[in-house]
Amino acid sequence: MSEWSLRYTGYAPAEERLREALCTVGNGYLATRGAAPEATADGTHYPGTYAAGVYNRLRSDVAGTSVENECLVNLPNWLPVTFRVDDGPWFTPDSVELLEYRQYLDLRRALLVRHLRFRDPAGRTTTVTQRRFAHMRLPHVCALETTVAAHDWSGRLEFRSGLDGGVDNSLVERYRDLAGQHLEFVAARELPGTGVLLETVTNQSRIPVAMAAGNTVRVRDRPGTDGHRLVTDGPWIGHDLAVDVTAGQSVTLEKTVTVYTGRDRAISEPAVEAVRWLPRLGPFDTLLESHTLAWAHLWDRFHLDLENRPEELRVIRLHLLHLLQTVSPNTAELDAGVPARGLHGEAYRGHVLWDELFVFPLLNLRLPALTRSLLRYRHRRLPEALQAAREHGHRGAMFPWQSGSDGREESQRLHLNPRSGRWIPDPTRRQHHIGLAIAHNCWQYYQATGDREFLTHHGAEMLIEIARFWSDLATYDRARDRYVIRGVMGPDEFHSGYPDAPGAGVDNNTYTNVLTVWTLLRAAEALETLPDRVRSELVQRLDLRPEELQRWDDISRGMFVPFHDGVPSQFEGYADLAELDWAAYRRRYGDIQRLDRILEAENDDVNRYRVAKQADVLMLFYLFSADELAGLFRRLGYRPAPDTIPRTIDYYLARTTHGSTLSAVVHAWVLARSHRERAPEFFRHALASDVTDIQGGTTAEGIHLAAMAGSVDLLQRCFSGLETRGDRLVLNPYWPESLGTLEFSVLYQEHPLHIRVNGRRIDVAAGTGTQRPVEIACRGETALLDPGSTVHFPC
């Protein structure tokens, strides 16, 4: 199988929605699922098109409670194309005898190709080939080409091509009791030739959405038809285009589409722009050529090669493709964040969570301007985070666990347990640690780029306000003579509280407390990094007083961290919880990834047990090196034993269900530092998460972007030991020899670097230029790397 394609053979209705998600084509502005052009939303197919940042809010009555949800809107379907012969039935794969069916996603060009050959009830044999893409350089443009070849028949071939505004948000089954009709039909009209325009508007946020489609029929590369007629049906508009075909002849329909919304910049009005730009577009192949060039430039930046591992390399490239189809240079011009499930479906309602923590490390070292733009999404919502903290009685910024259009908390109040059929309270809004992740992202971006302008105008302010919130949330415990943080949720997500108080949060979550200390230190460091005048102005504007800075220092030296059995406790009281009979539950249920749902259906509560959905304490080993963690613990006055890290990993690994796709990423990372021989097992598990739909149906609702990016980052930073800190590039390889040789390119503080890693040595080569030398450190050795030179380190 090619290292540059994802291929499927045979038509498999049960797998269609998974294929649609994995065969999505996008460009960072919008993305369209890989549904067949003739398909409509039903139990098998789900066409969906989503534009970054286009949200709408609706209210629903659920279990006697009125709830409000904001969703990424499923836009009108631009794909509809089907055909028929001699006024027969319109084509569907279910109504013919399929003789051949292949579909593949060309990863190099972000091009979806579908090829099928069939015999219809009249005995006619026909071949159909379709190609589609969302243009990477022209983000408002999509294109679809359909070629029909008549093998043993002659007759009148009629295409039907249109735009369908009669869509809703109904992909996720457990959301179907919620309101999902987000679009209002505004207008539809015919354009000169065979073009049409469809206008809709979101019914709450009032965002206009306009699509214009043009069609060209080509026979022997000559445009023209034997006639066409307009077809309308409510919010559906299009054309029937007819042409006479003889046996052995092929006919091609080229469909080009422009998409604009009211959130776009530098436009007059969406419908005006969609109509103006449609006739300016060239033929399909001309558009494809410029689209392919744009992707070639992206692949140069994201170059990664895994020697003699074609299957792993293919999936890695698939993951990079979907990352860049969700966030790309086109996204940098938008007010958009990183949706957890990409622009590939409706899970999490298209919300922005903490997944950027796993995405930004790839972007920082390749497209730093894009990271900066995505961090600006957070900075623009800082006023909302400040207000949220005030409403909860705190100073500083309390960022939401789930964010959408305006930065308010979008986490649902209730969620459905599919096992029990019950709607139960959703406490995930207590995951205030999202703010700590944002702080970490700001600092890591600065470390990778040295972007003082960002730190001056955006980053330092966010760091300070996040530090201020956590400083205010911490309270002094006189009995311990330490600071504590109560009533939160950690990354684990299973533990919303204690057995006698579920939903009320837990106390002294180790991940939260340690990351708070780190954030306080980085906020103070950022402040000291600023020029005197800027620092003085910021201190005055934020009313940051010396006593507040002293409190930060006190907390950073006196934060409480709970321990039990020689390992850090996930939270205070964790050791008092019951141990689960893991063997019994595995025998009874097999798959226990979502143990919380299993226990709730049994009228039990996951809060009673020492279990985890995903890494919690172990996230510290994901974010920080052993040296950094040791420094933080020393500052706090703790002296963990030398074997604490491997013991902690073993302890929590035995109590984790891996109910999140992120779990494999983090566990591969930490195992590389304790049980290196086990790390490739979890790396391959991370690679398989979406391709094999390891969670049994969730990928069809939208890919898991953090797991995809995280799997690539395992190669880039984990196994190579690459870090950006202290104004130098640090390499501390944990490379499993079983993976062969890795080569990849990064951009570190304007230095283009090519890195080659295997089990024996690391080579770092710098591109030519006039930059100052960069300092490279590897296991105690340090070298200055000049532009155009190479350094070598033994592993």
Side-chain angles (χ1 to χ4, degrees):
M1 184 174 291
S2 168
E3 299 165 6
W4 283 101
S5 67
L6 176 69
R7 294 179 177 271
Y8 295 103
T9 301
Y11 177 58
E15 298 178 13
E16 195 66 11
R17 290 197 173 191
L18 171 62
R19 295 182 182 183
E20 289 173 356
L22 292 175
C23 290
T24 294
V25 294
N27 57 26
Y29 172 79
L30 59 73
T32 297
R33 289 167 59 86
E38 71 276 1
T40 56
D42 56 22
T44 300
H45 307 282
Y46 193 84
T49 293
Y50 310 92
V54 177
Y55 291 97
N56 193 64
R57 190 180 304 277
L58 294 177
R59 187 169 291 277
S60 308
D61 291 323
V62 177
T65 302
S66 180
V67 297
E68 190 175 83
N69 289 293
E70 185 176 68
C71 301
L72 188 69
V73 177
N74 182 18
L75 302 184
N77 182 14
W78 65 270
L79 291 174
V81 167
T82 187
F83 57 90
R84 63 181 178 180
V85 178
D86 292 338
D87 295 325
W90 295 104
F91 167 78
T92 69
D94 304 299
S95 62
V96 297
E97 178 189 357
L98 287 173
L99 306 175
E100 185 180 359
Y101 192 101
R102 301 192 311 273
Q103 178 174 303
Y104 70 90
L105 183 61
D106 180 338
L107 307 180
R108 196 187 299 272
R109 298 189 292 172
L111 177 73
L112 180 60
V113 181
R114 181 184 184 224
H115 176 87
L116 53 95
R117 186 165 58 90
F118 66 89
R119 184 177 296 112
D120 64 23
R124 293 172 295 219
T125 306
T126 306
T127 294
V128 178
T129 303
Q130 292 177 314
R131 301 188 294 169
R132 83 173 72 150
F133 60 91
H135 205 291
M136 182 53 78
R137 191 170 65 81
L138 303 172
H140 300 279
V141 175
C142 302
L144 168 65
E145 177 194 74
T146 301
T147 299
V148 177
H151 287 281
D152 51 12
W153 56 270
S154 299
R156 190 169 181 81
L157 174 68
E158 188 174 23
F159 290 103
R160 173 164 287 180
S161 172
L163 301 172
D164 184 7
V167 301
D168 61 10
N169 280 50
S170 57
L171 173 61
V172 182
E173 186 174 354
R174 59 190 175 280
Y175 298 168
R176 287 181 188 161
D177 287 343
L178 305 174
Q181 191 68 50
H182 293 283
L183 291 176
E184 290 179 6
F185 172 68
V186 175
R189 63 184 174 91
E190 189 174 22
L191 301 177
T194 57
V196 292
L197 172 69
L198 174 66
E199 297 179 72
T200 59
V201 64
T202 56
N203 53 23
Q204 173 272 327
S205 53
R206 309 310 296 176
I207 300 173
V209 179
M211 287 186 178
N215 300 286
T216 301
V217 175
R218 299 183 185 277
V219 183
R220 298 190 185 95
D221 295 327
R222 295 181 181 177
T225 68
D226 296 328
H228 66 271
R229 66 184 181 90
L230 182 68
V231 180
T232 60
D233 183 8
W236 199 103
I237 184 169
H239 283 100
D240 287 351
L241 305 104
V243 61
D244 290 328
V245 182
T246 59
Q249 195 173 58
S250 295
V251 179
T252 297
L253 171 69
E254 295 183 0
K255 180 178 185 179
T256 52
V257 177
T258 53
V259 182
Y260 285 85
T261 81
R263 299 185 78 252
D264 296 330
R265 297 180 179 183
I267 69 169
S268 169
E269 190 271 332
V272 170
E273 297 302 314
V275 172
R276 281 195 331 122
W277 277 95
L278 187 64
R280 299 176 178 180
L281 306 177
F284 183 93
D285 283 336
T286 301
L287 288 171
L288 179 59
E289 184 178 357
S290 57
H291 166 76
T292 300
L293 179 61
W295 269 102
H297 293 157
L298 282 175
W299 284 121
D300 282 345
R301 288 178 176 267
F302 284 81
H303 168 72
L304 187 149
D305 191 30
L306 198 56
E307 187 178 87
N308 299 322
R309 311 293 298 191
E311 180 58 23
E312 286 93 338
L313 183 58
R314 180 179 68 92
V315 179
I316 285 292
R317 285 172 173 161
L318 175 70
H319 289 180
L320 284 170
L321 174 89
H322 285 307
L323 169 64
L324 292 169
Q325 291 191 140
T326 303
V327 288
S328 78
N330 297 318
T331 317
E333 295 299 315
L334 307 175
D335 177 33
V338 181
R341 305 299 282 273
L343 299 174
H344 297 61
E346 296 162 15
Y348 289 138
R349 299 175 179 84
H351 292 161
V352 177
L353 285 82
W354 73 329
D355 301 69
E356 61 208 39
L357 185 68
F358 301 86
V359 168
F360 285 176
L362 294 182
L363 303 182
N364 287 342
L365 295 169
R366 292 175 175 85
L367 290 173
L370 177 54
T371 305
R372 179 189 172 112
S373 171
L374 294 167
L375 285 169
R376 291 290 310 281
Y377 168 87
R378 295 295 190 180
H379 186 261
R380 281 188 285 270
R381 284 150 184 80
L382 182 59
E384 188 69 35
L386 294 169
Q387 179 62 26
R390 283 193 292 270
E391 291 175 357
H392 283 78
H394 298 293
R395 301 182 73 203
M398 187 178 82
F399 281 93
W401 177 239
Q402 294 190 27
S403 177
S405 61
D406 57 18
R408 75 181 82 172
E409 179 61 75
E410 300 294 353
S411 297
Q412 59 266 43
R413 296 285 179 177
L414 298 171
H415 74 261
L416 177 68
N417 180 357
R419 282 189 174 270
S420 67
R422 290 190 286 254
W423 289 88
I424 56 181
D426 189 312
T428 52
R429 62 189 57 236
R430 284 190 176 272
Q431 293 195 76
H432 305 314
H433 63 82
I434 178 68
L436 301 171
I438 293 169
H440 190 270
N441 292 335
C442 286
W443 190 253
Q444 293 305 316
Y445 166 76
Y446 171 65
Q447 289 290 292
T449 63
D451 186 349
R452 288 181 178 271
E453 196 273 340
F454 168 79
L455 195 69
T456 298
H457 296 289
H458 312 292
E461 183 181 14
M462 282 198 286
L463 282 161
I464 289 167
E465 293 292 11
I466 292 167
R468 174 174 271 169
F469 170 74
W470 286 99
S471 170
D472 199 56
L473 198 62
T475 58
Y476 179 65
D477 185 331
R478 188 174 299 277
R480 288 192 173 105
D481 190 26
R482 283 191 175 273
Y483 290 87
V484 297
I485 297 176
R486 304 191 185 279
V488 299
M489 280 184 71
D492 157 46
E493 292 193 345
F494 273 178
H495 291 93
S496 65
Y498 293 97
D500 60 345
V506 298
D507 299 337
N508 295 309
N509 172 256
T510 290
Y511 170 83
T512 301
N513 286 16
V514 172
L515 202 51
T516 293
V517 170
W518 180 89
T519 299
L520 294 171
L521 293 172
R522 297 294 78 76
E525 185 176 351
L527 193 62
E528 289 302 314
T529 302
L530 300 178
D532 290 346
R533 179 175 178 177
V534 173
R535 180 170 61 251
S536 175
E537 291 175 351
L538 186 62
V539 164
Q540 291 179 47
R541 180 161 59 87
L542 301 184
D543 191 23
L544 188 62
R545 302 183 179 184
E547 54 268 29
E548 187 171 1
L549 293 173
Q550 182 59 53
R551 177 178 169 82
W552 292 6
D553 187 71
D554 292 343
I555 294 171
S556 74
R557 298 179 187 278
M559 180 68 79
F560 174 64
V561 177
F563 284 82
H564 74 276
D565 300 336
V567 301
S569 300
Q570 185 170 311
F571 51 83
E572 187 177 1
Y574 182 84
D576 299 328
L577 303 180
E579 289 281 19
L580 185 78
D581 188 342
W582 292 88
Y585 272 86
R586 287 193 173 102
R587 282 195 303 270
R588 194 181 315 166
Y589 293 100
D591 180 0
I592 60 169
Q593 292 180 97
R594 291 308 304 266
L595 187 63
D596 56 332
R597 293 175 175 174
I598 291 171
L599 291 171
E600 193 277 332
E602 292 183 346
N603 297 311
D604 201 347
D605 188 351
V606 73
N607 285 303
R608 295 181 56 232
Y609 301 97
R610 295 190 215 179
V611 298
K613 175 184 175 184
Q614 58 190 350
D616 196 296
V617 174
L618 300 190
M619 277 295 299
L620 292 173
F621 307 140
Y622 175 78
L623 294 181
F624 304 116
S625 68
D627 289 344
E628 287 179 288
L629 268 183
L632 289 169
F633 277 114
R634 279 196 303 271
R635 184 178 181 88
L636 293 172
Y638 293 104
R639 296 290 187 273
D643 66 344
T644 296
I645 290 180
R647 291 180 63 223
T648 302
I649 293 170
D650 289 343
Y651 183 88
Y652 288 106
L653 182 57
R655 291 166 176 81
T656 302
T657 69
H658 305 295
S660 162
T661 54
L662 282 176
S663 196
V665 172
V666 177
H667 282 86
W669 192 289
V670 300
L671 284 168
R673 285 148 177 75
S674 62
H675 304 295
R676 192 181 308 185
E677 71 284 354
R678 292 198 61 191
E681 167 196 345
F682 280 86
F683 169 62
R684 294 186 181 99
H685 190 81
L687 291 183
S689 293
D690 277 329
V691 173
T692 64
D693 195 13
I694 209 162
Q695 289 192 322
T698 62
T699 300
E701 303 166 350
I703 52 96
H704 299 82
L705 196 64
M708 286 189 166
S711 69
V712 182
D713 200 30
L714 283 169
L715 296 174
Q716 171 189 263
R717 289 194 307 142
C718 174
F719 295 150
S720 71
L722 185 151
E723 298 177 60
T724 54
R725 57 184 170 99
D727 203 28
R728 63 180 181 170
L729 194 70
V730 179
L731 294 162
N732 188 21
Y734 299 89
W735 185 253
E737 288 198 50
S738 63
L739 293 181
T741 298
L742 169 72
E743 294 185 7
F744 63 97
S745 300
V746 298
L747 182 70
Y748 174 64
Q749 296 192 359
E750 299 185 354
H751 282 268
L753 304 178
H754 183 83
I755 300 174
R756 191 173 192 271
V757 187
N758 56 37
R760 298 174 301 281
R761 69 185 230 173
I762 291 184
D763 304 325
V764 184
T768 58
T770 59
Q771 306 92 332
R772 63 180 177 81
V774 60
E775 186 177 343
I776 310 286
C778 182
R779 292 185 174 168
E781 293 188 35
T782 302
L784 281 179
L785 180 63
D786 293 302
S789 63
T790 302
V791 295
H792 312 278
F793 298 100
C795 284

